[in-house]
Amino acid sequence: MQANIAAAKAALAHLDVEEKDVAIKAASRDFFWYSPVLKNRLDHVTADFVVRPKDEAEVIEILKVCYEHDVPVTTRGAGTGNYGQAMPLEGGCVMHLRHMDKVREIHPGRVICEPGVLLKDVDAATREHSGQELRMFSSTWATATIGGFIAGGSGGVGSCTWGALRDLGNIIRLRVVTMEAEPRIVEFTGEELARVSHAYGTNGIITEVEMPLAPAYDWVEMFVTFHDFMDAARFSEDLANQDGILIKLATVFEAPIAHDYFQRVKPHVQPGTNLVGLMVAPHSMDGFLTFAGRRPEATIIYRNDDHNWERGPGPVFEYGWNHTTLRALKVDPSITYLQVRYGHPNSLKLVEKMRDDFSPEVLQHLEVMRESGRVIFAGLSLVKFTTEERLNEIIKLHEDAGAMIFNPHRYTLEEGGRQTVDDRQLNFKKESDPKGLLNPGKMISWDDPDWAFNEMYAHPRLQPLTKA
Amino acid sequence: MQANIAAAKAALAHLDVEEKDVAIKAASRDFFWYSPVLKNRLDHVTADFVVRPKDEAEVIEILKVCYEHDVPVTTRGAGTGNYGQAMPLEGGCVMHLRHMDKVREIHPGRVICEPGVLLKDVDAATREHSGQELRMFSSTWATATIGGFIAGGSGGVGSCTWGALRDLGNIIRLRVVTMEAEPRIVEFTGEELARVSHAYGTNGIITEVEMPLAPAYDWVEMFVTFHDFMDAARFSEDLANQDGILIKLATVFEAPIAHDYFQRVKPHVQPGTNLVGLMVAPHSMDGFLTFAGRRPEATIIYRNDDHNWERGPGPVFEYGWNHTTLRALKVDPSITYLQVRYGHPNSLKLVEKMRDDFSPEVLQHLEVMRESGRVIFAGLSLVKFTTEERLNEIIKLHEDAGAMIFNPHRYTLEEGGRQTVDDRQLNFKKESDPKGLLNPGKMISWDDPDWAFNEMYAHPRLQPLTKA
Ligand SMILES: Cc1cc2nc3c(=O)[nH]c(=O)nc-3n(C[C@H](O)[C@H](O)[C@H](O)COP(=O)(O)OP(=O)(O)OC[C@H]3O[C@@H](n4cnc5c(N)ncnc54)[C@H](O)[C@@H]3O)c2cc1C
Ligand SMILES: Cc1cc2nc3c(=O)[nH]c(=O)nc-3n(C[C@H](O)[C@H](O)[C@H](O)COP(=O)(O)OP(=O)(O)OC[C@H]3O[C@@H](n4cnc5c(N)ncnc54)[C@H](O)[C@@H]3O)c2cc1C
């Protein structure tokens, strides 16, 4: 199977096709460079051309043409993914959905929109329409698309209340186009959603999404400081367990993260300050202040609605989730990170143990989440990177202790997840992408059903190009 | 201290004063007759007169006059309380707040209103204004007042998501008038709220409330059946633990409650049918149906938005909370009930044990609640009443097993609660009601600080009148 790039390009020439090398290179990259492991391996990856459909009919046309000419298609939302999800390992076509940015319908509790609309623009439309907003968003709210969030993300700001994106009820419906001689349009709800959500666009292109909404409030964003790290973690857990206090974010940063990496926060903290970032509903502020008043170990140093900081810190959520790593990286390029799940019921004990074992080589950054109705912590720990071997060792020691790792230094679905094959996704790929042209290299079970996961997977077409 | 009723009545004659005996008698009663224990003891209780203030100024005037003439004042919302809370044990004045029914302000996430507005009318106003509704309401939504709910209630429909009324954040602010020579107006928030919420009007009259709101949806109301009771209970617990599925009610009824006591449900169930009543947000229905589809033991027999029942059952929440008891009582007058807390983490095990020990003398009726972030069950068990001794024995056996009882066969704050003095309420009463004229007899610690709680408290003024 040899891709006929020239024929495909010619057939698509009447669409919005990008030909400039610099622009193609840019549209072939995401935030893979967060990972020192992926950085070397993926740096050279680039598409042959980029095309930007303006509607579902054009998506179908592109898929049909690329199918005919055996051209790989990697779909791109905004390219803020950080494990190379949106990078075209085999070159070919990057299909960029930025023109598909319409919000179609808004109803009480739900919105229907195209995949390429930015998360912030969904929220602007639903807020304007009826005081509603998305239940949860990745901290890349300002730059990422809703389609990319669903196909590549897992949760974020709001998950402390609503759980993960994959939880029942957090996606209502997805409309998907398949990669066949005659692309089909399929509508997925319920059990079927798992086929294409968080599938990195490997088995179908999402052309319309229906998502649940929550009320939009003028969230009060705060920073709260603690001398003791575990006090900060307990405070966040206890707060999330207050049924009557509505929050959208509770993030814990071990010292000296706030002092060393948060430039605008630095003047207001010490190296030893542990920080908690919060978003609390305005009508829950009385309850929150009562809660905080019972905990003298907590000091509120910033409220977005009432502060005297010379330079405001910007949105507090842009310190949390994967933004923490971004801020740390900017100051210290040797920093990387891990994604940890500290599950129920020993969430805090496990955090404490990992901190005892690894601080300061690994600094705790925790996000409060809900899982099966319980408050747990997701860790996006900052790691002072030395070698791949040491990184793998740290991962292993976490897993041995019972702290599950979602490895962000892997670009495949399986390795970044639970290292098992998702049959629902694999089976649907057999129907929907028989030639294996959609985002090739990201689903190991497609390329190599017998892969044992004991070393890092490197796609055959990728391997020869790396100079490792 | 001798009440000068005539002088007080004369001084208040220009207000809306009720003089007719039948009307006075009616306004002196509540749903105390739910309890065979309270029925005999309180049946004769009646006020000397009823007055209906139209605003806070008139409340102040009434309190001032009654204070001057040593006349007891018992405040009444709608009188749907079911432990004699609103009954004037010492006679005197019943102050009925039905004219104070204005909704003053509605904002995103909160409402400010007078105490005498019905729960349903708060919801109508907030829904009309901006698609909002109260977070929780007692199942007497259609007839009870918001002030009575705050002063006498504990939670209800919505508590499966938001916890109990007393939890931080579920009341924002209360404006209260004291019973002194010169009544004062005080505004309570935060820690101070506990002084007057659930104080039965014994230490101040609430004249304005500020409550948090949640979005109003067209809740899908359902009945789901199960052959096995524990399947029904587990289903409800699991559902409440689905972070992405928004619910407002999950009630479990052991067989044969549905068949024997729910007349409109009866044609659709068998004596052995265990029933679950639900309210699910419409945009969570896809998630819910997926959840239910995984549980073949569950059969949806009714949806309010799609059914072919010849006679609809009416609102599903009017089968839950204390309405279950009401429906059972109508069919079998020998039924009474208990209020049980099956706490975390052994909630379901305890339910199972109590059922093994007592069914069918005690039938399980469970309400899903949240407490400190966890799903637990509140039991409003139906009890086939024989004697007071047996009832007390059942209570003791529950408590011995670790199932806390809030005794609904007691009319005092302490006995109906945790049998301990609430110092915040007692201390505030010392300031706010120095003569002890507000709803006398309901706070034991005021009347008899050394009361030992080993037998039922009977107010000194009440005792001689009962023919027990
Ligand atoms: C600073 C920073 C913070 C982040 N914070 C979070 C966070 O809080 N939570 C979180 O979950 N993630 C987070 N991420 C990861 C990422 O930003 C989010 O998942 C984001 O929502 C992805 O959106 P995007 O439009 O950039 O998608 P892209 O990166 O363009 O695409 C992501 C994946 O989805 C596929 N895809 C995109 N659109 C479609 C479509 N229409 N149909 C099928 N497949 C499609 C792509 O092929 C790719 O595999 C963060 C990343 C960074 C760099
Ligand atoms: C069928 C049925 C179902 C019920 N379901 C529930 C339920 O789900 N949850 C629940 O919590 N309760 C429930 N109850 C109990 C009761 O109905 C509720 O608490 C209800 O909200 C009380 O409102 P009301 O206006 O009738 O108050 P009332 O009965 O008039 O008063 C209740 C108490 O509050 C005091 N009070 C009233 N207004 C004021 C004020 N403005 N200032 C100070 N004190 C005041 C009264 O003196 C009295 O002590 C139920 C009762 C019945 C009969």
Side-chain angles (χ1 to χ4, degrees), chain B residues 58-328:
Chain B
E58 290 191 2
V59 169
I60 291 172
E61 186 181 351
I62 293 164
L63 294 183
K64 206 173 147 137
V65 166
C66 288
Y67 183 89
E68 192 184 336
H69 299 293
D70 300 325
V71 173
V73 175
T74 299
T75 308
R76 182 180 185 83
T80 68
N82 38 5
Y83 342 115
Q85 296 111 297
M87 295 178 68
L89 299 191
E90 295 196 19
C93 167
V94 158
M95 182 165 68
H96 194 172
L97 302 184
R98 57 189 262 186
H99 298 323
M100 292 180 64
D101 62 355
K102 275 162 265 334
V103 176
R104 293 227 172 92
E105 289 178 36
I106 302 168
H107 301 279
R110 60 200 175 87
V111 60
I112 300 174
C113 61
E114 292 188 332
V117 58
L118 300 185
L119 294 165
K120 82 164 159 47
D121 292 333
V122 179
D123 275 0
T126 53
R127 181 182 276 261
E128 162 80 20
H129 174 275
S130 43
Q132 303 187 89
E133 66 185 24
L134 290 167
R135 283 182 172 179
M136 70 187 72
F137 55 77
S138 60
S139 61
T140 45
W141 179 77
T143 52
T145 68
I146 182 88
F149 183 47
I150 293 169
S154 54
V157 185
S159 289
C160 55
T161 300
W162 298 104
L165 197 48
R166 72 172 161 272
D167 290 337
L168 283 181
N170 283 334
I171 301 172
I172 298 177
R173 182 178 57 85
L174 297 176
R175 185 177 165 98
V176 175
V177 175
T178 63
M179 179 60 160
E180 299 172 87
E182 291 299 333
R184 283 174 299 139
I185 297 170
V186 279
E187 299 260 359
F188 288 152
T189 59
E191 298 292 359
E192 299 155 347
L193 291 168
R195 296 184 185 170
V196 291
S197 65
H198 204 82
Y200 292 1
T202 55
N203 57 12
I205 310 309
I206 300 163
T207 53
E208 186 176 271
V209 311
E210 183 169 342
M211 297 291 280
L213 297 174
Y217 296 116
D218 292 328
W219 299 95
V220 179
E221 305 184 4
M222 283 174 280
F223 283 125
V224 186
T225 61
F226 299 81
H227 290 301
D228 180 70
F229 172 77
M230 288 307 293
D231 278 347
R234 258 187 306 273
F235 179 93
S236 306
E237 185 183 66
D238 291 351
L239 176 61
N241 275 321
Q242 292 289 319
D243 304 304
I245 299 179
L246 182 62
I247 63 173
K248 184 133 182 169
L249 178 77
T251 314
V252 188
F253 309 103
E254 183 181 351
I257 293 176
H259 182 269
D260 286 2
Y261 305 134
F262 298 169
Q263 294 190 15
R264 299 213 186 164
V265 179
K266 187 175 185 147
H268 309 277
V269 295
Q270 305 297 318
T273 305
N274 299 282
L275 193 73
V276 168
L278 297 174
M279 288 169 71
V280 175
H283 54 288
S284 286
M285 279 305 290
D286 272 295
F288 170 75
L289 293 174
T290 310
F291 170 89
R294 292 178 186 170
R295 290 165 177 79
E297 65 274 21
T299 309
I300 301 172
I301 61 163
Y302 171 79
R303 276 180 73 151
N304 66 339
D305 60 344
D306 178 20
H307 68 91
N308 56 7
W309 288 24
E310 215 169 290
R311 296 183 68 195
V316 164
F317 72 77
E318 289 186 355
Y319 290 77
W321 291 90
N322 254 323
H323 270 76
T324 315
T325 317
L326 183 63
R327 288 179 192 269

Side-chain angles (χ1 to χ4, degrees), chain B residues 417-467:
Chain B
R418 294 180 185 202
Q419 309 219 338
T420 54
V421 176
D422 187 328
D423 279 329
R424 297 165 302 189
Q425 297 189 344
L426 177 61
N427 290 337
F428 183 59
K429 189 173 175 75
K430 288 176 187 160
E431 295 176 27
S432 65
D433 181 24
K435 286 189 179 175
L437 292 169
L438 290 180
N439 205 356
K442 304 298 169 56
M443 194 188 277
I444 300 183
S445 53
W446 177 267
D447 296 328
D448 184 349
D450 300 321
W451 186 259
F453 299 110
N454 43 14
E455 50 177 314
M456 185 174 172
Y457 178 76
H459 187 255
R461 295 281 291 269
L462 180 60
Q463 198 66 337
L465 293 169
T466 66
K467 305 184 186 75

Side-chain angles (χ1 to χ4, degrees), chain A residues 27 29-34 59 73-87 95-97 100 114-119 136-141 143-157 159 165 175-177 196 198-209 317-318 320-327 337 339 367 380 411 413 438-439 442:
Chain A
R29 298 166 74 82
D30 62 11
F31 284 71
F32 70 101
W33 51 266
Y34 263 41
V59 169
V73 175
T74 300
T75 307
R76 182 180 184 84
T80 67
N82 37 5
Y83 342 114
Q85 294 112 298
M87 295 179 66
M95 182 165 67
H96 194 173
L97 302 184
M100 291 180 66
E114 292 187 330
V117 59
L118 299 185
L119 294 165
M136 71 187 73
F137 54 78
S138 60
S139 61
T140 45
W141 178 78
T143 51
T145 67
I146 182 87
F149 183 47
I150 293 169
S154 55
V157 186
S159 289
L165 197 48
R175 185 176 165 100
V176 175
V177 175
V196 290
H198 203 82
Y200 293 0
T202 54
N203 57 11
I205 310 308
I206 300 164
T207 53
E208 185 175 271
V209 311
F317 72 76
E318 288 185 355
W321 291 89
N322 255 323
H323 270 76
T324 315
T325 317
L326 183 63
R327 288 179 191 270
Y337 74 121
Q339 298 174 159
E367 294 291 342
L380 291 95
Y411 63 83
L413 280 163
L438 289 181
N439 205 357
K442 304 299 169 55

Side-chain angles (χ1 to χ4, degrees), chain A residues 152-169:
Chain A
S154 55
V157 186
S159 289
C160 55
T161 299
W162 298 103
L165 197 48
R166 73 174 159 270
D167 290 336
L168 283 182

